[in-house]
Coordinates of all heavy atoms in Angstrom, one line a residue:
M244 N 0.8 -1.2 -0.1 CA 0.1 0.0 0.1 C 0.9 1.3 0.0 O 1.9 1.3 0.6 CB -0.9 0.0 1.3 CG -2.0 -1.1 1.2 SD -3.3 -0.8 2.4 CE -4.2 0.3 1.4
K245 N 0.4 2.3 -0.7 CA 1.1 3.6 -0.6 C 0.4 4.5 0.3 O -0.8 4.5 0.5 CB 1.0 4.2 -2.0 CG 1.8 3.2 -3.1 CD 3.2 3.3 -2.7 CE 3.8 2.4 -3.9 NZ 5.2 2.2 -3.7
T246 N 1.1 5.5 0.8 CA 0.6 6.6 1.6 C 0.7 7.8 0.9 O 1.7 8.1 0.2 CB 1.4 6.6 3.0 OG1 1.5 5.5 3.7 CG2 0.9 7.9 3.7
I247 N -0.3 8.5 0.9 CA -0.5 10.0 0.1 C -0.8 10.9 1.2 O -1.5 10.7 2.2 CB -1.4 9.8 -1.0 CG1 -2.8 9.6 -0.6 CG2 -0.9 8.9 -2.2 CD1 -3.9 9.9 -1.8
T248 N -0.5 12.2 1.0 CA -0.8 13.3 1.7 C -1.4 14.3 0.9 O -1.1 14.4 -0.3 CB 0.5 13.9 2.3 OG1 1.2 13.0 3.1 CG2 0.2 15.2 3.2
M249 N -2.6 14.9 1.3 CA -3.3 15.9 0.4 C -3.8 16.9 1.5 O -4.0 16.8 2.6 CB -4.3 15.3 -0.2 CG -5.5 14.5 0.6 SD -6.6 13.6 -0.3 CE -7.9 14.7 -0.5
R250 N -4.0 18.1 0.9 CA -4.4 19.3 1.7 C -5.8 19.6 1.1 O -6.0 19.7 -0.1 CB -3.5 20.5 1.5 CG -2.2 20.2 2.0 CD -1.1 21.5 1.9 NE 0.1 21.3 2.3 CZ 0.5 21.4 3.5 NH1 -0.3 22.0 4.4 NH2 1.9 21.3 3.7
V251 N -6.7 19.8 1.9 CA -8.0 20.3 1.4 C -8.6 21.5 2.4 O -8.1 21.6 3.6 CB -9.1 19.1 1.6 CG1 -8.8 17.9 0.6 CG2 -9.1 18.5 3.0
D252 N -9.4 22.2 1.8 CA -10.0 23.3 2.9 C -10.8 22.5 3.9 O -11.2 21.5 3.9 CB -11.0 24.2 2.0 CG -10.2 25.0 0.9 OD1 -9.1 25.3 1.1 OD2 -10.8 25.3 -0.1
D253 N -10.9 23.4 5.1 CA -11.7 22.9 6.2 C -13.1 22.5 5.9 O -13.6 21.5 6.3 CB -11.8 24.0 7.3 CG -10.4 24.1 8.0 OD1 -9.5 23.2 7.8 OD2 -10.3 25.2 8.7
S254 N -13.7 23.2 4.9 CA -15.1 22.9 4.5 C -15.1 21.5 3.8 O -16.1 20.8 3.9 CB -15.8 24.0 3.6 OG -14.9 24.2 2.4
I255 N -14.1 21.3 2.9 CA -14.1 20.1 2.2 C -13.8 19.0 3.1 O -14.6 17.8 3.0 CB -13.0 20.1 1.0 CG1 -13.3 21.2 0.1 CG2 -12.8 18.7 0.3 CD1 -14.5 21.1 -0.8
Y256 N -13.0 19.1 4.1 CA -12.6 18.0 5.0 C -13.9 17.7 5.8 O -14.2 16.5 6.0 CB -11.5 18.5 5.9 CG -11.3 17.6 7.0 CD1 -10.5 16.4 6.9 CD2 -12.0 17.7 8.4 CE1 -10.2 15.5 8.0 CE2 -11.8 16.8 9.3 CZ -10.9 15.7 9.1 OH -10.7 14.7 10.2
E257 N -14.7 18.6 6.3 CA -15.9 18.4 6.9 C -16.9 17.6 6.1 O -17.5 16.8 6.5 CB -16.5 19.7 7.5 CG -15.7 20.3 8.7 CD -15.6 19.4 9.8 OE1 -16.5 18.5 10.2 OE2 -14.5 19.3 10.4
M258 N -17.0 17.9 4.9 CA -17.9 17.2 3.9 C -17.5 15.8 3.8 O -18.2 14.9 3.8 CB -17.8 18.0 2.5 CG -18.8 17.4 1.5 SD -18.7 18.2 -0.1 CE -18.8 19.9 0.4
I259 N -16.0 15.6 3.7 CA -15.8 14.3 3.5 C -15.9 13.4 4.8 O -16.2 12.2 4.8 CB -14.1 14.1 3.2 CG1 -13.8 14.8 1.6 CG2 -13.4 12.9 3.2 CD1 -12.5 15.2 1.4
K260 N -15.5 14.1 6.0 CA -15.8 13.4 7.2 C -17.2 13.1 7.5 O -17.4 11.9 7.9 CB -15.3 14.5 8.3 CG -15.4 13.8 9.7 CD -14.8 14.8 10.7 CE -15.2 14.4 12.1 NZ -15.0 15.4 13.1
R261 N -18.1 13.9 7.1 CA -19.5 13.5 7.2 C -20.0 12.5 6.2 O -20.8 11.5 6.7 CB -20.4 14.8 7.1 CG -20.4 15.8 8.1 CD -21.6 16.8 7.9 NE -21.5 17.5 6.7 CZ -20.8 18.7 6.5 NH1 -20.1 19.2 7.5 NH2 -20.8 19.2 5.3
A262 N -19.5 12.4 5.1 CA -19.7 11.4 4.2 C -19.2 10.0 4.7 O -19.8 9.0 4.6 CB -19.3 11.7 2.7
A263 N -18.0 10.1 5.0 CA -17.3 8.8 5.7 C -18.1 8.3 6.9 O -18.4 7.1 6.9 CB -15.9 9.0 6.1
E264 N -18.5 9.2 7.7 CA -19.3 8.7 8.9 C -20.6 8.2 8.5 O -21.2 7.2 9.0 CB -19.5 9.9 9.9 CG -18.2 10.4 10.6 CD -18.4 11.5 11.4 OE1 -19.4 12.3 11.2 OE2 -17.4 12.0 12.1
G265 N -21.3 8.9 7.4 CA -22.5 8.3 7.0 C -22.4 6.9 6.4 O -23.4 6.2 6.3
Q266 N -21.4 6.6 5.9 CA -21.1 5.1 5.4 C -20.4 4.2 6.3 O -20.0 3.2 5.9 CB -20.3 5.2 4.0 CG -21.2 5.9 3.0 CD -20.7 5.7 1.5 OE1 -19.6 5.0 1.3 NE2 -21.2 6.3 0.7
R267 N -20.2 4.8 7.5 CA -19.4 4.0 8.6 C -18.0 3.6 8.1 O -17.7 2.4 8.3 CB -20.2 2.9 9.1 CG -21.5 3.3 9.6 CD -22.4 2.2 10.2 NE -23.8 2.8 10.6 CZ -24.4 2.5 11.6 NH1 -23.9 1.6 12.5 NH2 -25.5 3.0 11.8
R268 N -17.4 4.5 7.5 CA -16.0 4.3 7.0 C -15.0 5.3 7.7 O -15.5 6.3 8.1 CB -15.8 4.4 5.4 CG -16.6 3.6 4.7 CD -16.6 4.0 3.2 NE -17.5 3.0 2.4 CZ -17.2 2.0 1.8 NH1 -15.9 1.5 2.0 NH2 -18.0 1.3 1.1
N269 N -13.8 4.9 7.8 CA -12.9 5.9 8.2 C -12.4 6.8 7.0 O -12.9 6.4 5.8 CB -11.5 5.3 8.8 CG -10.8 4.4 7.8 OD1 -10.6 4.8 6.6 ND2 -10.2 3.4 8.4
I270 N -11.9 8.0 7.1 CA -11.8 9.0 6.2 C -11.0 8.4 5.0 O -11.2 8.5 3.8 CB -11.2 10.2 6.6 CG1 -12.3 11.0 7.5 CG2 -10.8 11.1 5.5 CD1 -11.7 12.2 8.2
S271 N -9.8 7.7 5.3 CA -9.0 7.1 4.3 C -9.7 6.2 3.5 O -9.6 6.2 2.2 CB -7.8 6.3 5.1 OG -7.0 5.8 4.1
N272 N -10.5 5.3 4.1 CA -11.3 4.2 3.3 C -12.3 4.9 2.4 O -12.5 4.5 1.2 CB -11.9 3.3 4.3 CG -12.5 2.2 3.5 OD1 -13.8 2.3 3.4 ND2 -11.8 1.1 3.1
F273 N -13.0 5.8 3.0 CA -13.9 6.6 2.1 C -13.3 7.3 1.0 O -13.9 7.2 -0.2 CB -14.8 7.7 3.0 CG -15.7 8.5 2.1 CD1 -17.0 7.9 1.7 CD2 -15.3 9.8 1.7 CE1 -17.7 8.6 1.0 CE2 -16.1 10.4 0.9 CZ -17.4 9.9 0.5
I274 N -12.2 7.9 1.2 CA -11.5 8.6 -0.2 C -11.3 7.5 -1.1 O -11.4 7.7 -2.2 CB -10.2 9.5 0.4 CG1 -10.8 10.6 1.2 CG2 -9.5 9.8 -0.8 CD1 -9.7 11.4 1.9
E275 N -10.7 6.3 -0.6 CA -10.3 5.3 -1.6 C -11.6 4.9 -2.3 O -11.6 4.8 -3.6 CB -9.6 4.1 -0.9 CG -9.2 3.1 -1.7 CD -8.5 1.9 -1.0 OE1 -8.4 2.0 0.3 OE2 -8.2 0.9 -1.7
Y276 N -12.7 4.6 -1.5 CA -13.9 4.2 -2.1 C -14.4 5.2 -3.1 O -14.9 4.8 -4.2 CB -14.9 4.0 -0.9 CG -16.3 3.7 -1.4 CD1 -16.8 2.4 -1.8 CD2 -17.2 4.6 -1.3 CE1 -18.0 2.3 -2.3 CE2 -18.6 4.5 -1.8 CZ -18.9 3.3 -2.3 OH -20.3 3.1 -2.6
A277 N -14.4 6.5 -2.7 CA -15.1 7.5 -3.6 C -14.2 7.6 -4.8 O -14.8 7.8 -6.0 CB -15.1 8.8 -2.8
T278 N -13.0 7.5 -4.7 CA -12.1 7.7 -5.9 C -12.3 6.5 -6.9 O -12.5 6.7 -8.1 CB -10.5 7.6 -5.4 OG1 -10.4 8.7 -4.6 CG2 -9.7 7.7 -6.8
L279 N -12.5 5.3 -6.3 CA -12.7 4.0 -7.2 C -14.2 4.2 -7.8 O -14.3 3.9 -9.0 CB -12.7 2.8 -6.4 CG -11.3 2.3 -6.1 CD1 -11.4 1.2 -5.1 CD2 -10.5 2.0 -7.3
Q280 N -15.1 4.8 -7.1 CA -16.4 4.9 -7.6 C -16.4 5.9 -8.8 O -16.8 5.7 -9.9 CB -17.4 5.5 -6.7 CG -17.8 4.4 -5.7 CD -18.5 3.2 -6.3 OE1 -19.5 3.4 -7.1 NE2 -18.0 1.9 -6.0
Y281 N -15.6 7.0 -8.6 CA -15.6 8.0 -9.7 C -14.8 7.5 -10.9 O -15.2 7.7 -12.0 CB -14.8 9.2 -9.1 CG -14.4 10.3 -10.1 CD1 -15.4 11.1 -10.7 CD2 -13.2 10.2 -10.9 CE1 -15.3 12.1 -11.6 CE2 -13.0 11.2 -11.8 CZ -14.0 12.1 -12.2 OH -13.7 12.9 -13.3
L282 N -13.7 6.8 -10.7 CA -12.9 6.4 -11.9 C -13.7 5.3 -12.6 O -13.6 5.4 -13.9 CB -11.6 5.7 -11.3 CG -10.5 6.8 -10.8 CD1 -9.4 6.1 -10.1 CD2 -10.4 7.8 -11.9
T283 N -14.3 4.4 -11.9 CA -15.1 3.2 -12.6 C -16.4 3.7 -13.3 O -16.8 3.3 -14.3 CB -15.3 2.2 -11.8 OG1 -16.2 2.7 -10.6 CG2 -14.2 1.4 -11.3
S284 N -17.0 5.0 -12.8 CA -18.1 5.4 -13.4 C -18.0 6.3 -14.6 O -18.7 6.5 -15.5 CB -19.1 6.0 -12.4 OG -18.5 7.1 -11.9
S285 N -16.7 7.1 -14.5 CA -16.5 8.0 -15.5 C -15.6 7.6 -16.7 O -15.4 8.3 -17.6 CB -16.0 9.4 -14.8 OG -14.7 9.0 -14.4
Q286 N -14.9 6.5 -16.4 CA -13.9 6.1 -17.4 C -14.5 5.0 -18.3 O -13.9 4.6 -19.2 CB -12.7 5.4 -16.7 CG -12.0 6.4 -15.8 CD -11.5 7.7 -16.5 OE1 -11.0 7.5 -17.8 NE2 -11.5 8.9 -16.1
Y287 N -15.6 4.5 -18.0 CA -16.2 3.4 -18.8 C -17.6 3.8 -19.4 O -18.3 4.6 -18.7 CB -16.3 2.2 -18.1 CG -15.0 1.5 -17.6 CD1 -14.5 2.0 -16.2 CD2 -14.1 1.1 -18.5 CE1 -13.3 1.6 -15.8 CE2 -12.8 0.5 -18.0 CZ -12.3 0.8 -16.7 OH -11.3 0.5 -16.3
V288 N -18.1 3.2 -20.5 CA -19.3 3.5 -21.0 C -20.2 2.4 -20.7 O -19.7 1.1 -20.5 CB -19.3 3.8 -22.5 CG1 -18.5 5.1 -22.9 CG2 -18.8 2.6 -23.2
S289 N -21.5 2.6 -20.6 CA -22.5 1.4 -20.5 C -22.7 0.6 -21.8 O -22.2 1.0 -22.8 CB -23.8 2.0 -20.1 OG -24.5 2.7 -21.1
D290 N -23.2 -0.6 -21.6 CA -23.5 -1.4 -22.7 C -24.2 -0.7 -23.8 O -24.0 -0.8 -25.0 CB -24.1 -2.7 -22.4 CG -23.2 -3.7 -21.6 OD1 -22.0 -3.4 -21.6 OD2 -23.7 -4.6 -20.9
D291 N -25.3 0.0 -23.4 CA -26.0 0.8 -24.4 C -25.2 1.9 -25.1 O -25.4 2.0 -26.4 CB -27.3 1.5 -23.7 CG -28.3 0.5 -23.2 OD1 -28.3 -0.7 -23.8 OD2 -29.1 0.8 -22.3
E292 N -24.4 2.6 -24.3 CA -23.5 3.6 -25.0 C -22.6 3.0 -26.0 O -22.4 3.5 -27.0 CB -22.8 4.4 -24.0 CG -23.7 5.3 -23.2 CD -22.9 5.9 -22.0 OE1 -22.2 5.2 -21.2 OE2 -22.8 7.2 -21.9
M293 N -21.9 1.9 -25.6 CA -21.0 1.1 -26.4 C -21.7 0.6 -27.7 O -21.3 0.8 -28.8 CB -20.5 0.0 -25.7 CG -19.4 -0.8 -26.6 SD -18.1 0.4 -27.3 CE -17.2 0.9 -25.8
N294 N -23.0 0.1 -27.6 CA -23.7 -0.3 -28.8 C -24.0 0.8 -29.7 O -24.0 0.7 -30.9 CB -25.0 -1.0 -28.3 CG -24.7 -2.4 -27.6 OD1 -23.6 -3.0 -28.0 ND2 -25.6 -2.8 -26.8
E295 N -24.4 1.9 -29.1 CA -24.6 3.1 -30.0 C -23.4 3.5 -30.7 O -23.4 3.9 -31.9 CB -25.0 4.3 -29.0 CG -25.5 5.5 -29.9 CD -26.2 6.5 -29.0 OE1 -26.5 6.4 -27.8 OE2 -26.2 7.7 -29.6
I296 N -22.2 3.6 -30.1 CA -21.0 3.9 -30.5 C -20.5 2.9 -31.8 O -20.3 3.3 -32.9 CB -19.9 3.9 -29.6 CG1 -20.0 5.1 -28.7 CG2 -18.5 3.9 -30.3 CD1 -19.1 5.1 -27.4
L297 N -20.7 1.6 -31.5 CA -20.3 0.6 -32.5 C -21.2 0.6 -33.7 O -21.0 0.1 -34.8 CB -20.2 -0.8 -31.8 CG -19.2 -0.8 -30.8 CD1 -19.3 -2.2 -30.1 CD2 -17.9 -0.6 -31.4
S298 N -22.7 1.1 -33.5 CA -23.4 1.1 -34.6 C -23.2 2.2 -35.7 O -23.7 2.2 -36.8 CB -24.9 1.2 -34.0 OG -25.1 2.6 -33.6
E299 N -22.4 3.0 -35.4 CA -21.9 4.2 -36.2 C -20.7 3.8 -36.9 O -19.5 4.1 -36.3 CB -21.9 5.5 -35.5 CG -23.2 5.9 -35.0 CD -23.2 7.3 -34.3 OE1 -22.5 8.3 -34.9 OE2 -23.8 7.5 -33.3
E300 N -20.7 3.3 -38.1 CA -19.6 2.9 -38.9 C -18.5 4.0 -39.0 O -17.2 3.7 -39.0 CB -19.9 2.2 -40.2 CG -20.7 0.8 -40.1 CD -21.0 0.3 -41.4 OE1 -20.4 0.6 -42.4 OE2 -22.1 -0.4 -41.3
S301 N -18.9 5.1 -39.5 CA -18.0 6.2 -39.7 C -17.3 6.6 -38.3 O -16.0 6.8 -38.5 CB -18.7 7.4 -40.2 OG -19.6 8.0 -39.4
L302 N -17.9 6.5 -37.4 CA -17.3 6.9 -36.0 C -16.2 5.9 -35.7 O -15.0 6.1 -35.2 CB -18.3 7.0 -34.9 CG -17.7 7.2 -33.5 CD1 -16.9 8.4 -33.4 CD2 -18.9 7.1 -32.5
V303 N -16.6 4.5 -35.9 CA -15.7 3.5 -35.6 C -14.4 3.5 -36.4 O -13.2 3.4 -36.0 CB -16.5 2.0 -35.8 CG1 -15.4 0.9 -35.7 CG2 -17.5 1.8 -34.7
E304 N -14.7 3.8 -37.8 CA -13.5 3.9 -38.7 C -12.5 5.1 -38.2 O -11.4 5.0 -38.4 CB -13.9 4.1 -40.2 CG -14.5 2.9 -40.7 CD -13.6 1.7 -40.7 OE1 -12.5 1.9 -41.0 OE2 -14.0 0.5 -40.3
S305 N -13.2 6.2 -37.8 CA -12.4 7.4 -37.4 C -11.6 7.0 -36.0 O -10.5 7.4 -35.9 CB -13.4 8.6 -37.1 OG -12.6 9.7 -36.6
L306 N -12.2 6.3 -35.1 CA -11.6 5.8 -33.9 C -10.4 5.0 -34.3 O -9.2 5.0 -33.6 CB -12.6 5.2 -33.0 CG -13.5 6.2 -32.4 CD1 -14.6 5.3 -31.6 CD2 -12.9 7.2 -31.4
K307 N -10.6 4.0 -35.2 CA -9.5 3.3 -35.6 C -8.4 3.9 -36.2 O -7.4 3.6 -36.1 CB -10.1 2.0 -36.5 CG -11.0 1.0 -35.9 CD -11.5 0.0 -36.9 CE -12.4 -1.1 -36.3 NZ -12.8 -2.0 -37.2
R308 N -8.7 4.8 -37.1 CA -7.8 5.5 -37.8 C -6.9 6.5 -36.7 O -5.7 6.5 -36.7 CB -8.4 6.5 -38.8 CG -7.4 7.2 -39.7 CD -8.1 7.9 -41.0 NE -9.3 8.9 -40.5 CZ -10.5 8.5 -40.7 NH1 -10.9 7.4 -41.2 NH2 -11.4 9.3 -40.2
G309 N -7.7 6.9 -35.7 CA -6.9 7.8 -34.6 C -6.2 7.0 -33.8 O -5.0 7.4 -33.5
L310 N -6.5 5.7 -33.6 CA -5.7 4.8 -32.8 C -4.3 4.4 -33.5 O -3.3 4.4 -33.0 CB -6.5 3.6 -32.4 CG -5.8 2.5 -31.7 CD1 -5.2 2.9 -30.4 CD2 -6.6 1.3 -31.5
K311 N -4.5 4.2 -34.8 CA -3.4 3.8 -35.5 C -2.3 5.0 -35.7 O -1.3 4.8 -35.5 CB -3.8 3.4 -37.0 CG -2.6 3.0 -37.9 CD -3.1 2.4 -39.3 CE -2.0 1.9 -40.1 NZ -2.4 1.3 -41.3
E312 N -2.8 6.2 -35.8 CA -2.0 7.4 -35.8 C -1.3 7.5 -34.6 O -0.1 7.9 -34.5 CB -2.9 8.7 -36.2 CG -3.4 8.7 -37.6 CD -4.4 9.8 -37.9 OE1 -4.7 10.5 -37.0 OE2 -4.9 9.9 -39.0
A313 N -2.1 7.3 -33.5 CA -1.4 7.5 -32.1 C -0.3 6.5 -31.9 O 0.8 6.8 -31.5 CB -2.4 7.2 -31.0
E314 N -0.6 5.2 -32.4 CA 0.4 4.2 -32.2 C 1.7 4.4 -33.1 O 2.7 4.1 -32.8 CB -0.2 2.8 -32.7 CG -1.2 2.3 -31.7 CD -1.8 1.0 -32.3 OE1 -1.9 0.8 -33.5 OE2 -2.5 0.3 -31.5
N315 N 1.4 5.1 -34.2 CA 2.6 5.5 -35.1 C 3.2 6.8 -34.6 O 4.1 7.3 -35.3 CB 2.1 5.6 -36.6 CG 1.8 4.4 -37.1 OD1 2.3 3.3 -36.7 ND2 0.8 4.2 -38.1
G316 N 2.7 7.5 -33.6 CA 3.4 8.7 -33.2 C 2.9 9.9 -34.0 O 3.6 10.9 -33.9
E317 N 1.9 9.7 -34.8 CA 1.4 10.8 -35.7 C 0.4 11.7 -34.9 O -0.8 11.7 -35.2 CB 0.7 10.2 -37.0 CG 1.8 9.4 -37.7 CD 1.2 8.5 -38.7 OE1 -0.1 8.6 -38.9 OE2 1.8 7.8 -39.4
Y318 N 0.8 12.4 -33.9 CA -0.1 13.4 -33.2 C 0.7 14.5 -32.7 O 1.9 14.4 -32.5 CB -0.8 12.5 -32.1 CG 0.1 11.8 -31.0 CD1 0.4 12.7 -30.0 CD2 0.6 10.6 -31.2 CE1 1.3 12.1 -29.0 CE2 1.4 10.1 -30.2 CZ 1.7 10.9 -29.2 OH 2.5 10.3 -28.2
T319 N 0.0 15.5 -32.3 CA 0.5 16.7 -31.6 C -0.2 16.9 -30.4 O -1.4 17.0 -30.4 CB 0.4 17.9 -32.5 OG1 1.1 17.6 -33.8 CG2 1.1 19.1 -31.9
V320 N 0.6 17.1 -29.2 CA -0.1 17.5 -28.1 C -0.2 19.0 -27.9 O 0.8 19.7 -28.2 CB 0.8 16.9 -26.8 CG1 0.3 17.3 -25.5 CG2 1.0 15.5 -26.8
V321 N -1.4 19.4 -27.7 CA -1.7 20.9 -27.7 C -2.0 21.2 -26.3 O -2.5 20.7 -25.5 CB -2.8 21.3 -28.7 CG1 -2.3 21.2 -30.1 CG2 -4.1 20.5 -28.4

């Protein structure tokens, strides 16, 4: 396990503390839980969203082309 240190305003700390208490977690565990919830809900699409994406052939081709360009280093970071 890794230890991290973070600074938050008093009002944010109180919000985190109340949320942790509401879920009967310690603050560290709540922050880990909340982070995992955020990452897994915002980084992935639902099955319905994925089906909609895959149904648009031009979008899929554009994504494949973009992936190939990225793999070949053909991009510019702006």
Side-chain angles (χ1 to χ4, degrees):
M244 296 197 77
K245 300 288 183 188
T246 300
I247 63 169
T248 301
M249 57 187 265
R250 295 180 189 270
V251 295
D252 291 331
D253 289 342
S254 61
I255 301 296
Y256 175 81
E257 288 302 320
M258 190 182 306
I259 293 169
K260 182 180 173 188
R261 284 193 304 271
E264 289 169 352
Q266 292 193 2
R267 298 177 190 224
R268 299 174 183 269
N269 61 42
I270 291 174
S271 177
N272 181 263
F273 176 78
I274 291 172
E275 180 179 4
Y276 168 79
T278 301
L279 286 171
Q280 289 296 311
Y281 172 79
L282 293 174
T283 57
S284 68
S285 67
Q286 300 297 319
Y287 300 99
V288 297
S289 70
D290 288 342
D291 290 338
E292 289 173 305
M293 184 54 72
N294 288 334
E295 183 178 346
I296 290 168
L297 294 174
S298 71
E299 295 186 35
E300 291 180 27
S301 63
L302 175 59
V303 172
E304 288 304 314
S305 178
L306 291 170
K307 286 180 181 178
R308 192 170 49 255
L310 178 59
K311 186 173 182 174
E312 290 171 359
E314 288 171 344
N315 293 332
E317 301 168 359
Y318 60 90
T319 303
V320 177
V321 292

